[in-house]
Amino acid sequence: MFNKKVLMLMSGGVDSSVAAYLLKEQNYQVIGLHFKTVSDIVFSMIPEKKKVCCSPSDTQDALKIANKLDLDDFQIVDIKKEFKEKIINYFINTYKEGKTPNPCMLCNRFFKFGKALEIAHSYGADFVSSGHYLMREYSEKYSTYVIKKGVDQYKDQSYFLSYIDRNTLPKLHFPLGNMYKVEIRDIAKKKGLSVANKPDSQELCFIPDNDYRRFLKEYGVNPEEGKVYDLEGNEIGTHTGYMNYTIGQRTGISYYKNANVKLHVYKILPQKNVLIVAPTEEMYSKELIVQNVNFFVDFKEIEGFCRVRKKSEEKPAVVKKTDDHTLKVNFKEPIFAVTPGQFATIYDESGVVLASGIININ
């Protein structure tokens, strides 16, 4: 009888619940793991605008599913202190630097597929599993384990997991990679899982109301009004504090006179509390630098595809390794609003993730 042991990340959502069910059906010993990233009181003080993960109701849902599926064990693990050090502080400091963070990328690296592997080892588990939509497989082409896009292009989460440590891949398992969301909902309904119609999480777990400005103020980041300049160095308006803006943004700026063209945030100068704005046609770039690169596949130069934010499409590019930690990406066509602090993920033509890192502008 096939009876390997797997540590299952249980968020309390429909995806991880169905993934746990599928593993049980495949005769795995399944141990549920639920992380607590912030205090429950945060959710009572700051109501959710949209569904977020790690709320008190999520904890209860994960526990209900664990009991219904008769999991071999279920652990709730408090990571609040470590989460603040590695994720919340990173989030705040990145905004202070005038850049735009993506904390989910680091949470996946350090906790969901970092800390969880330590816990799995203590259980003697063979794998860590989750309800993410992507695939992990051994690639004959690259002679190593890789992750690649899931079949459901609308739910694919390979971008969000593109910064996890490549050394963890042999120990990971993703049951939903070959499935579609509609199938997952259908299974949950047929099996009577209480989360069958639960909305997907959309916002950051530590900012339930999605109000970044309020959150930053709570942590002592008090933005002050500053000046806005055009590309020629003319002072043309004011802003409410540089941390409130990201590259490409048009809203939240007061101009001294009505501009005849659409103007976007082109550059943020945090030391001076200054924004530089530019018309739309100036917002396109043909190249970028990727730093602190996480390589899944070793290469010197490749023609691939680069994705520069969570909701963008991959664009054809020539990607060159300039040193062990840096890539230079040259796009075949200019792309809009490249944003420092965000992550760039490099794919090959078959959807295999080759590398990922933090965007800088050349």
Side-chain angles (χ1 to χ4, degrees):
M1 182 178 181
F2 187 69
N3 208 26
K4 286 192 173 183
K5 191 181 292 185
V6 61
L7 187 75
M8 180 70 216
L9 297 171
M10 301 287 291
S11 68
V14 65
D15 297 326
S16 61
S17 299
V18 170
Y21 162 76
L22 294 172
L23 291 171
K24 287 286 287 186
E25 287 292 292
Q26 295 165 17
N27 291 320
Y28 280 96
Q29 293 181 51
V30 182
I31 302 154
L33 172 64
H34 180 78
F35 282 132
K36 297 297 289 185
T37 58
V38 293
S39 297
D40 286 352
I41 193 171
V42 169
F43 293 89
S44 60
M45 294 172 64
I46 307 167
E48 300 171 58
K49 279 193 176 178
K50 294 181 180 178
K51 185 72 195 77
V52 304
C53 72
C54 309
S55 70
S57 63
D58 289 326
T59 304
Q60 291 302 313
D61 285 337
L63 183 57
K64 284 179 189 176
I65 296 298
N67 289 331
K68 181 175 180 62
L69 297 179
D70 192 25
L71 300 189
D72 294 86
D73 197 359
F74 179 77
Q75 291 287 329
I76 299 173
V77 176
D78 185 330
I79 57 169
K80 291 193 284 287
K81 182 181 177 182
E82 298 163 88
F83 188 83
K84 182 181 182 302
E85 291 172 355
K86 289 192 181 298
I87 307 302
I88 293 178
N89 288 348
Y90 147 80
F91 181 85
I92 295 167
N93 290 334
T94 303
Y95 270 114
K96 283 182 177 179
E97 293 168 1
K99 300 176 182 178
T100 304
N102 188 331
C104 296
M105 304 289 273
L106 295 190
C107 181
N108 284 330
R109 181 181 180 93
F110 292 124
F111 295 107
K112 292 179 181 176
F113 303 98
K115 179 80 171 178
L117 278 157
E118 296 175 18
I119 297 170
H121 182 72
S122 70
Y123 273 99
D126 299 281
F127 299 104
V128 168
S129 187
S130 75
H132 288 93
Y133 289 81
L134 76 162
M135 292 185 278
R136 183 230 61 166
E137 63 187 29
Y138 185 83
S139 168
E140 296 293 342
K141 178 179 179 180
Y142 298 114
S143 300
T144 188
Y145 281 97
V146 296
I147 56 173
K148 64 184 296 187
K149 292 181 182 180
V151 297
D152 190 335
Q153 62 177 322
Y154 298 106
K155 296 301 297 180
D156 168 57
Q157 289 166 303
S158 59
Y159 175 79
F160 285 102
L161 270 68
S162 65
Y163 208 60
I164 62 175
D165 188 338
R166 67 187 288 182
N167 295 316
T168 66
L169 295 189
K171 289 287 187 178
L172 304 186
H173 181 48
F174 301 107
L176 308 188
N178 282 304
M179 303 181 73
Y180 291 84
K181 183 74 177 195
V182 64
E183 297 178 75
I184 303 307
R185 295 271 188 205
D186 190 47
I187 291 171
K189 290 172 186 174
K190 287 179 179 176
K191 300 305 171 183
L193 301 185
S194 58
V195 295
N197 294 311
K198 186 174 179 178
D200 293 338
S201 298
Q202 298 183 52
E203 308 296 352
L204 299 177
C205 63
F206 54 95
I207 312 181
D209 61 354
N210 198 33
D211 188 343
Y212 301 101
R213 296 179 184 182
R214 174 199 58 75
F215 178 83
L216 290 171
K217 282 183 181 179
E218 266 188 26
Y219 277 84
V221 181
N222 295 305
E224 297 179 355
E225 185 178 279
K227 296 178 179 180
V228 177
Y229 294 87
D230 62 19
L231 290 179
E232 286 72 45
N234 302 306
E235 184 182 330
I236 60 171
T238 61
H239 62 80
T240 60
Y242 74 87
M243 291 83 71
N244 296 331
Y245 299 86
T246 188
I247 302 301
Q249 186 172 329
R250 289 186 57 213
T251 58
I253 297 174
S254 298
Y255 293 103
Y256 299 138
K257 58 183 180 179
N258 291 327
N260 295 321
V261 294
K262 293 179 180 179
L263 296 173
H264 307 259
V265 176
Y266 177 79
K267 197 169 187 178
I268 299 172
L269 303 176
Q271 294 85 359
K272 298 180 179 180
N273 192 24
V274 160
L275 299 184
I276 297 173
V277 296
T280 304
E281 61 268 20
E282 297 293 336
M283 295 301 301
Y284 288 84
S285 306
K286 285 206 72 173
E287 65 180 38
L288 58 84
I289 300 297
V290 187
Q291 298 177 323
N292 303 109
V293 176
N294 179 51
F295 287 96
F296 288 100
V297 173
D298 296 318
F299 62 86
K300 290 184 178 179
E301 184 173 325
I302 55 103
E303 286 200 18
F305 298 85
C306 180
R307 185 174 178 180
V308 297
R309 63 181 65 86
K310 63 182 180 181
K311 292 184 178 179
S312 70
E313 295 180 0
E314 298 89 47
K315 297 296 184 181
V318 175
V319 184
K320 184 177 181 180
K321 181 178 181 180
T322 55
D323 62 44
D324 288 343
H325 308 286
T326 311
L327 295 173
K328 185 174 183 180
V329 180
N330 287 98
F331 292 94
K332 297 192 175 180
E333 295 180 4
I335 60 169
F336 181 76
V338 172
T339 306
Q342 287 285 287
F343 283 75
T345 298
I346 312 301
Y347 294 86
D348 73 4
E349 70 284 350
S350 64
V352 169
V353 177
L354 303 177
S356 178
I358 302 171
I359 294 173
N360 202 348
I361 295 178
N362 193 8

